[in-house]
């Protein structure tokens, strides 16, 4: 019933739709500005900037895990950063999210990565419980910090 | 007095020392396990996994900014993740940390990145104030989650 496979360039419109649905779930619909062209260029060229697994349930797109490799200067090893994990609401409760995470963990181990990491919204208790049940732990001392948009341009102009 | 330059392979022992000093400052000395060989292999080959800027004050190594590119599926653009930013205590108060961050921001803009991001320890108030003074903002709703070591191997073995 469930098939997990690496996404191909022909899957870009499905990936785009899933990313937008995830942003809506996170109350951030307006933040999902990437176009299909962006995703095609950055995910499927010679120098892919991300990788994507698609979960299909009886042939229908049910969810995705989108990740890229990062680096840990403490471990001196590659890691995986999971940027997006999403299962469409109508396909939940079938173990699809877990199967996607397990597959990402396998890819991490196959690439000798020291860890997989991602971000979770602090109000998303079901997700937090789910991740912890799979052995993940929250790095509660650490807070993400970001500079973007006009603030980034301003910072770059400083001396 | 201050020079900022891209690190070369001959700087690996300096980089290694700075990373260890940063880990000590973060009360995580035991976590800094990367060897000089790891850093040489992963930072200076054909397929560099990270990039590093060194700050020198009158020729002495004063600090570093170590970063790599990541990706935002919301923006459909590259970003920069700043993994390490460190200025040795005896060189603080001279604007070196700011100069490193400005240089990283310039690299981000030059690569058409949508943002720069990093993590800060929630008890590190001087760092938080410093980042906010430069236009960065904390993503306080988001919590980093990590699976590593034996937990990662176990996850990869699940079905």
């Amino acid at each position: 019933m469930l098939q997990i496979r690496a996404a191909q360039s022909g899957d870009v419109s499905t990936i785009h739709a899933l990313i937008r649905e995830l942003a809506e779930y996170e109350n951030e619909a307006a933040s999902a500005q990437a176009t299909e062209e962006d995703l095609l260029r950055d995910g499927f060229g010679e120098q892919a900037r991300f990788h994507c697994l698609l979960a299909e349930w009886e042939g229908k797109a049910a969810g995705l895990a989108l990740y890229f490799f990062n680096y840990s200067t403490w471990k001196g090893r590659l890691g995986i950063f999971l940027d997006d994990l999403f299962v469409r609401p109508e396909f939940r409760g079938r173990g699809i999210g877990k199967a996607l995470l397990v597959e990402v963990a396998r890819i991490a181990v196959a690439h000798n990565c020291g860890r997989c990491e991602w971000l979770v919204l602090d109000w998303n208790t079901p997700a937090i419980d789910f991740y912890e049940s799979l052995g993940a732990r929250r790095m509660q001392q650490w807070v993400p910090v970001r500079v973007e948009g006009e603030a980034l341009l301003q910072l770059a102009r400083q001396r």
Side-chain angles (χ1 to χ4, degrees), chain A:
Chain A
M1 312 254 231
L2 176 64
Q3 195 203 356
I4 292 181
R5 62 176 178 84
Q8 309 295 325
S9 56
D11 298 311
V12 149
S13 61
T14 301
I15 297 168
H16 187 249
L18 289 164
I19 289 171
R20 293 188 64 89
E21 290 168 39
L22 171 57
E24 280 159 27
Y25 176 72
E26 290 172 342
N27 302 324
E28 289 278 2
S31 299
Q33 299 162 352
T35 64
E36 290 187 26
E37 290 68 32
D38 292 331
L39 299 173
L40 187 63
R41 177 193 65 228
D42 295 329
F44 301 95
E46 273 288 290
Q47 223 195 344
R49 300 300 192 163
F50 64 82
H51 307 279
C52 185
L53 298 174
L54 276 182
E56 291 170 327
W57 187 273
E58 293 172 357
K60 288 182 197 143
L64 95 173
L66 196 149
Y67 64 94
F68 45 78
F69 292 94
N70 61 13
Y71 193 73
S72 165
T73 51
W74 284 4
K75 291 183 184 287
R77 290 163 74 178
L78 286 180
I80 280 185
F81 185 85
L82 181 63
D83 198 59
D84 297 296
L85 179 70
F86 182 64
V87 176
R88 284 180 157 149
E90 62 267 36
F91 291 99
R92 291 184 191 166
R94 304 179 198 186
I96 298 175
K98 178 177 169 184
L100 283 165
L101 264 180
V102 168
E103 190 59 32
V104 171
R106 286 183 188 150
I107 292 166
V109 170
H111 285 81
N112 192 31
C113 292
R115 65 189 181 206
C116 289
E117 53 196 339
W118 58 96
L119 300 176
V120 66
L121 283 161
D122 61 4
W123 51 257
N124 196 348
T125 311
I128 291 169
D129 293 346
F130 167 61
Y131 298 146
E132 291 186 339
S133 77
L134 296 177
R137 66 196 169 92
R138 276 179 286 173
M139 313 295 290
Q140 285 181 295
Q141 276 200 308
W142 292 95
V143 183
V145 175
R146 193 175 279 177
V147 56
E148 60 190 331
E150 186 53 39
L152 177 62
L153 295 173
Q154 274 189 28
L155 183 59
R157 281 195 294 264
Q158 290 204 39
R159 169 50 275 186

